[in-house]
Amino acid sequence: MSKIEFLDLGKQPITNNFLDTKNPKEEFMYKLKVTFDEQAKMVSLGEFVPPEKMFNENYAHRASMSKTMQKAYKELSNSIKKKFNPNSILEIGSNDGVFLKNFSENIVIGVEPCKNLADITNSMKIKTFPEFWTLKLSDKIIKEYGNFDFIYSANTISHIHNLEETFLAIEKTLGNKGIFVLEDPSLIEVIKNGSYDQFYDEHAYVFSLTSIIKILEKTSLEVFDIEKLSTHGGSNRIFIKKKRNNLKISNKVFKFLNEEKVYGIENIDVYLKFGEKVQKSKHELISIFKNIKKNNKKIIGYGATYKSATVLNYCGLKSNFIDYFIDTTITKQGKFTPGTHIPIIKPDETLKDDVDYAFLGAWNFKEEILEKEKKFIERGGKFITHVPFPNIL
Ligand code: DWN
């Protein structure tokens, strides 16, 4: 038994389960615990939730809902065209096409198990398979389209339970000179930022570079470059190629690996300390909410993110603390937050005059939000965040 539990975030709902009613008859809950596997150097959830419960035709998240992400995907597409000039691109987890729409539809294929999202991209003439990424699907795609020059996957590989099969299917689908780029939240950033809300049902894994390199040892693939991104509160963009492709391995890879080693990413003590920090964060956040409520001030939530479900359920923050959430995603509006049953409404131009505090569910878009809510800030409105530690902005 090399898996060690270091964090218990209590009973949690399906984060995509935005409810139609405040009083649901039943709601699926599971125990959210986080473990470290000393052999694989991998951080993962103790219990995986069946994929069909999370990724289905009711999927709410639309990746194009923030200007920050629209811009980030546009810039990435331009740089891919310049650097690699691929003739065929496959995206695993294509969501609403925010990345693929930057390329000619003749050279791109999407894979997206949430049918409502696959319908969106298919209607944009981007051929999308409404299926989970498996060896079977990769065989089907290769038969029809051959191998690919470029495979991209953002915020998806960390959601797939069987990593061995996932990478084998990528290895088969990638041409010999092909490039695979994966982007997911960075474990070292999660620990440094105390952003324990990166752990929820969908995030089966939170990767370090060390853990990715370890899993690739079972394949003919290897990492040749890495970029640190500020998106989603700190992510890694990892560039992967076939070993037989003699592209140079960037020094950044060795530097980053060393940084993780020095930080102690292979050492259980780092995780146990993180677990203690999260408990402290919980108590401090609750006390901030209690103090504000003592003074009869009004708090709302800003961005009903999937991440925020972990914080709200772990800290027991319900309608007694937060009157409502605002969120720009149409499919969340008129619904209630999973587990905590707080109403979600459409935002106005600016926050309403009677709002005193806004809890940043979408803390990862802090800059974009503070810029948008200048009027609120000017009239004395304040934001509450739990990252990097509970405080009032
Ligand atoms: O990995 C995942 C990430 C990429 O997306 C998925 N498993 C699910 C989802 O997670 P999330 O909900 O934590 O992602 P975001 O991108 O942080 O969600 C931001 C939410 O905040 C969106 O619903 C849009 C909303 N928002 C808003 O209402 N006003 C965002 C901004 C910037 C705003 O000004």
Side-chain angles (χ1 to χ4, degrees):
M1 246 295 279
S2 65
K3 275 193 185 178
I4 304 170
E5 183 190 310
F6 64 87
L7 187 58
D8 183 349
L9 293 163
K11 280 203 169 165
Q12 294 281 346
I14 300 286
T15 49
N16 182 55
N17 194 13
F18 294 95
L19 302 158
D20 291 325
T21 160
K22 198 174 171 50
N23 302 305
K25 278 203 196 95
E26 53 179 349
E27 198 178 355
F28 177 86
M29 303 291 273
Y30 71 101
K31 286 181 190 149
L32 177 55
K33 293 184 179 178
V34 192
T35 67
F36 176 59
D37 183 328
E38 284 189 305
Q39 245 158 30
K41 313 290 175 211
M42 186 67 86
V43 165
S44 68
L45 302 191
E47 182 187 325
F48 289 158
V49 170
E52 296 75 14
K53 279 199 185 295
M54 304 181 281
F55 309 111
N56 49 45
E57 67 286 358
N58 299 318
Y59 202 71
H61 178 69
R62 300 282 182 279
S64 58
M65 270 305 121
S66 102
K67 282 189 191 144
T68 312
M69 292 316 294
Q70 291 261 15
K71 191 167 162 264
Y73 284 117
K74 178 128 194 96
E75 283 170 5
L76 171 65
S77 313
N78 288 340
S79 121
I80 290 169
K81 285 177 199 164
K82 237 166 104 184
K83 243 168 130 177
F84 304 110
N85 192 23
N87 284 318
S88 52
I89 301 173
L90 175 77
E91 187 181 12
I92 305 169
S94 46
N95 199 273
D96 60 359
V98 66
F99 169 71
L100 288 182
K101 72 174 184 194
N102 297 298
F103 299 90
S104 152
E105 68 252 21
N106 302 324
I107 65 161
V108 301
I109 300 284
V111 170
E112 177 49 70
C114 305
K115 195 180 168 296
N116 58 330
L117 297 174
D119 284 349
I120 296 177
T121 44
N122 272 319
S123 74
M124 289 157 72
K125 302 226 160 32
I126 295 172
K127 169 71 193 169
T128 309
F129 289 83
E131 291 175 51
F132 287 100
W133 177 248
T134 57
L135 269 169
K136 199 169 155 210
L137 176 63
S138 69
D139 283 343
K140 185 160 97 180
I141 292 178
I142 296 167
K143 229 186 221 165
E144 218 174 311
Y145 298 93
N147 292 106
F148 281 75
D149 290 349
F150 199 87
I151 303 180
Y152 179 66
S153 190
N155 302 302
T156 300
I157 303 298
S158 59
H159 299 49
I160 308 179
H161 300 168
N162 189 340
L163 288 181
E164 232 169 282
E165 175 171 356
T166 299
F167 282 106
L168 277 177
I170 288 167
E171 182 183 29
K172 280 180 90 177
T173 313
L174 204 60
N176 285 338
K177 295 257 172 212
I179 308 290
F180 169 48
V181 172
L182 87 81
E183 227 171 278
D184 275 296
S186 156
L187 181 59
I188 200 166
E189 293 302 321
V190 168
I191 296 175
K192 283 183 185 169
N193 286 329
S195 48
Y196 64 89
D197 51 347
Q198 288 291 10
F199 296 109
Y200 54 91
D201 55 346
E202 295 186 4
H203 285 183
Y205 302 94
V206 175
F207 298 132
S208 60
L209 175 62
T210 309
S211 65
I212 291 290
I213 288 181
K214 191 101 189 123
I215 196 141
L216 289 184
E217 281 171 5
K218 296 175 186 147
T219 70
S220 67
L221 302 169
E222 66 182 355
V223 172
F224 72 96
D225 207 354
I226 183 162
E227 287 170 10
K228 286 188 193 186
L229 308 175
S230 58
T231 48
H232 292 296
S235 299
N236 290 328
R237 178 176 289 154
I238 301 180
F239 294 74
I240 294 168
K241 66 173 184 68
K242 291 204 166 157
K243 283 179 190 149
R244 57 157 75 171
N245 174 348
N246 50 16
L247 266 174
K248 192 175 168 291
I249 299 180
S250 162
N251 279 337
K252 279 195 278 176
V253 175
F254 304 108
K255 231 178 113 190
F256 199 93
L257 260 184
N258 192 48
E259 198 185 305
E260 286 191 345
K261 201 175 177 72
V262 171
Y263 191 77
I265 217 83
E266 295 182 31
N267 190 339
I268 183 64
D269 292 346
V270 165
Y271 302 102
L272 294 173
K273 233 189 244 164
F274 174 72
E276 284 165 21
K277 188 173 156 183
V278 172
Q279 283 183 38
K280 192 164 165 254
S281 170
K282 170 183 178 170
H283 297 305
E284 286 175 7
L285 188 66
I286 295 172
S287 108
I288 287 178
F289 272 84
K290 280 189 174 162
N291 282 336
I292 293 173
K293 277 313 206 190
K294 235 191 259 164
N295 295 319
N296 284 325
K297 300 285 183 194
K298 182 167 182 158
I299 310 173
I300 63 125
Y302 205 112
T305 56
Y306 290 49
K307 291 185 288 293
S308 65
T310 295
V311 182
L312 300 177
N313 285 283
Y314 178 54
C315 299
L317 301 170
K318 300 188 179 178
S319 295
N320 49 338
F321 286 111
I322 300 176
D323 285 38
Y324 58 85
F325 262 85
I326 53 162
D327 198 292
T328 48
T329 310
I330 296 166
T331 44
K332 294 181 187 174
Q333 294 164 4
K335 306 241 169 161
F336 297 84
T337 57
T340 46
H341 311 168
I342 302 167
I344 306 168
I345 62 167
K346 183 176 180 227
D348 290 336
E349 194 82 355
T350 179
L351 284 168
K352 289 194 190 343
D353 284 346
D354 62 350
V355 174
D356 302 299
Y357 291 84
F359 169 64
L360 273 177
W363 57 267
N364 45 316
F365 295 114
K366 188 170 90 185
E367 279 76 28
E368 183 177 334
I369 292 170
L370 296 197
E371 176 63 32
K372 211 186 316 185
E373 298 298 345
K374 272 187 187 147
K375 274 194 192 151
F376 170 67
I377 297 166
E378 274 161 21
R379 70 163 173 80
K382 301 251 186 298
F383 286 97
I384 307 167
T385 185
H386 68 290
V387 175
F389 51 84
N391 69 108
I392 295 173
L393 306 173

